[in-house]
Amino acid sequence: MVRSPNDYRTDVWVDWCPACGNYGILAALYKAFAELQLDPTSTVIVSGIGCSGKTPHFVKVNGIHTLHGRAIAFATGIKLANPNLTVIVHGGDGDLLGIGSGHFVALGRKNLDIKVMLHNNRVYGLTKGQASPTLSKGLKTKSLAQPNIINNLNPIALALVSGYTFVARGYSMLSEHLKNLIVAAIKHKGSAFIDILQPCATYNDIHTPEYYRKRVYFLEEEGWNPRVEEGEESDKLLNAIKKSFEEERIPIGIFYQNTLKQTLEESYSQRIPSYFKILPPWQKIAKDDSSPILDEKLFEKMFEEYIVKVEKG
Ligand code: SF4
Ligand code: MG
């Protein structure tokens, strides 16, 4: 059966505000899934809390709407339990870079094959527009009583220094371009991150479609080559970090892609050769009488130096 973008839609009413940038992200996601012909039974979307947290409700694949800031932790468990699944995290800037920032950094270090899509609208939309970690200091969006007094962080730079091996930025209103980024991220083996610029029509009156229309440009049109070859890892990384700080003109596209690093799953399979074939949840850990299965010889070998033998008599 050939699946169309429509085949990935659920019947759940999409209740984001009119003109919300999330609609463009959802459309790009449907198109990317259809292009890759993803099997819904082996695809999982994991979300946290926020407007973006509703994404799994609208996509006909496995989905789980988890706790605030904990989507990456759930996704990590899912991927390690079954490394053959395609696992995608959707989270907002408050969710992934505020309360969830520790998990965000940890995923990059692991280079576990999970895709993270940041719905970056620079406010906490679901809770009425407070300043999020990506709103610049000094800006006053419409529901702030006074300008923001906290420095912002740069999601692309944070992903790069954390170790993500695929780092890109898209724009929700350029849905076809965003679809191509999602396809490339899913095809990449390793931790992938897409910073998706997403206007919040209700609470962010600064970063509007008009604001982005004047500033956004395509990296690929300026000859940017994100692919890392042997020996140029640090140069490419530093260039990408520098690029991510451009603000007057905002680059979108793939900033950095490194296929030279081993994924965590590959590291596990070197230790446990059956890892991809006999998945951890399917491994038998008890006999029929419920007593644990234990290789006594291996156990003794592992703890040889700690075993105290008591002589009888
Ligand atoms: Fe979209 Fe903002 Fe409305 Fe949330 S509050 S649904 S981000 S427009
Ligand atoms: Mg937000």
Side-chain angles (χ1 to χ4, degrees):
M1 167 196 174
V2 179
R3 293 184 178 87
S4 72
N6 253 334
D7 292 323
Y8 292 94
R9 280 175 204 268
T10 62
D11 296 332
V12 178
W13 175 51
V14 182
D15 58 353
W16 288 317
C17 309
C20 174
N22 279 329
Y23 289 100
I25 300 174
L26 191 59
L29 201 63
Y30 291 142
K31 284 190 275 180
F33 282 14
E35 185 165 320
L36 293 167
Q37 287 295 294
L38 289 188
D39 175 359
T41 63
S42 57
T43 306
V44 190
I45 295 182
V46 188
S47 70
I49 298 299
C51 297
S52 62
K54 298 175 182 178
T55 309
H57 301 236
F58 308 138
V59 188
K60 213 186 272 176
V61 298
N62 295 294
I64 175 164
H65 186 166
T66 71
L67 306 173
H68 199 204
R70 301 295 173 256
I72 289 178
F74 272 81
T76 301
I78 292 166
K79 185 69 184 178
L80 288 177
N82 187 347
N84 301 320
L85 297 175
T86 299
V87 181
I88 302 165
V89 168
H90 278 264
D93 32 314
D95 185 54
L96 289 174
L97 301 176
I99 189 171
S101 55
H103 295 295
F104 181 81
V105 171
L107 179 60
R109 284 181 52 226
K110 291 174 185 149
N111 197 28
L112 181 64
D113 189 19
I114 289 176
K115 322 301 163 191
V116 179
M117 318 265 153
L118 174 71
H119 297 222
N120 184 1
N121 55 20
R122 313 191 199 214
V123 291
Y124 285 85
L126 193 72
T127 51
K128 309 274 181 278
Q130 299 87 347
S132 89
T134 54
L135 186 71
S136 300
K137 186 175 177 179
L139 293 186
K140 185 187 150 341
T141 46
K142 70 194 220 192
S143 62
L144 296 183
Q146 293 191 44
N148 180 23
I149 52 169
I150 304 177
N151 291 310
N152 64 311
L153 63 76
N154 174 336
I156 298 265
L158 183 63
L160 287 165
V161 296
S162 300
Y164 285 78
T165 48
F166 178 102
V167 179
R169 181 188 282 136
Y171 174 39
S172 61
M173 300 307 191
L174 294 173
S175 189
E176 187 65 19
H177 181 264
L178 179 58
K179 180 267 291 175
N180 292 338
L181 294 179
I182 296 172
V183 167
I186 292 174
K187 284 183 174 169
H188 175 78
K189 269 173 72 181
S191 301
F193 171 64
I194 308 180
D195 173 23
I196 307 173
L197 306 171
Q198 178 238 318
C200 169
T202 305
Y203 293 112
N204 191 331
D205 52 344
I206 297 175
H207 304 99
T208 59
E210 181 68 4
Y211 174 93
Y212 286 121
R213 198 178 53 74
K214 288 186 190 147
R215 291 170 174 81
V216 159
Y217 74 95
F218 299 98
L219 280 170
E220 50 273 31
E221 283 183 1
E222 303 214 342
W224 182 264
N225 176 8
R227 284 193 81 86
V228 177
E229 304 295 341
E230 207 77 57
E232 54 178 33
E233 199 166 343
S234 52
D235 283 348
K236 280 272 163 85
L237 191 66
L238 287 172
N239 286 343
I241 291 171
K242 205 168 155 199
K243 196 71 170 165
S244 74
F245 280 92
E246 285 185 10
E247 278 183 0
E248 279 317 303
R249 294 179 73 231
I250 303 174
I252 61 170
I254 303 173
F255 280 69
Y256 179 86
Q257 185 168 19
N258 185 346
T259 53
L260 306 172
K261 274 195 188 169
Q262 197 168 46
T263 64
L264 186 64
E265 306 91 296
E266 287 165 347
S267 304
Y268 275 133
S269 71
Q270 281 174 348
R271 279 198 195 165
I272 312 166
S274 61
Y275 181 55
F276 286 103
K277 289 192 194 112
I278 308 170
L279 302 176
W282 298 347
Q283 284 175 19
K284 227 172 152 23
I285 56 167
K287 296 179 195 158
D288 291 342
D289 64 0
S290 302
S291 62
I293 293 171
L294 186 67
D295 181 340
E296 282 167 19
K297 286 210 176 72
L298 179 68
F299 185 79
E300 272 192 26
K301 200 165 177 292
M302 279 168 69
F303 296 99
E304 218 164 25
E305 59 185 296
Y306 303 109
I307 294 174
V308 179
K309 291 206 168 127
V310 181
E311 298 291 334
K312 281 188 186 159

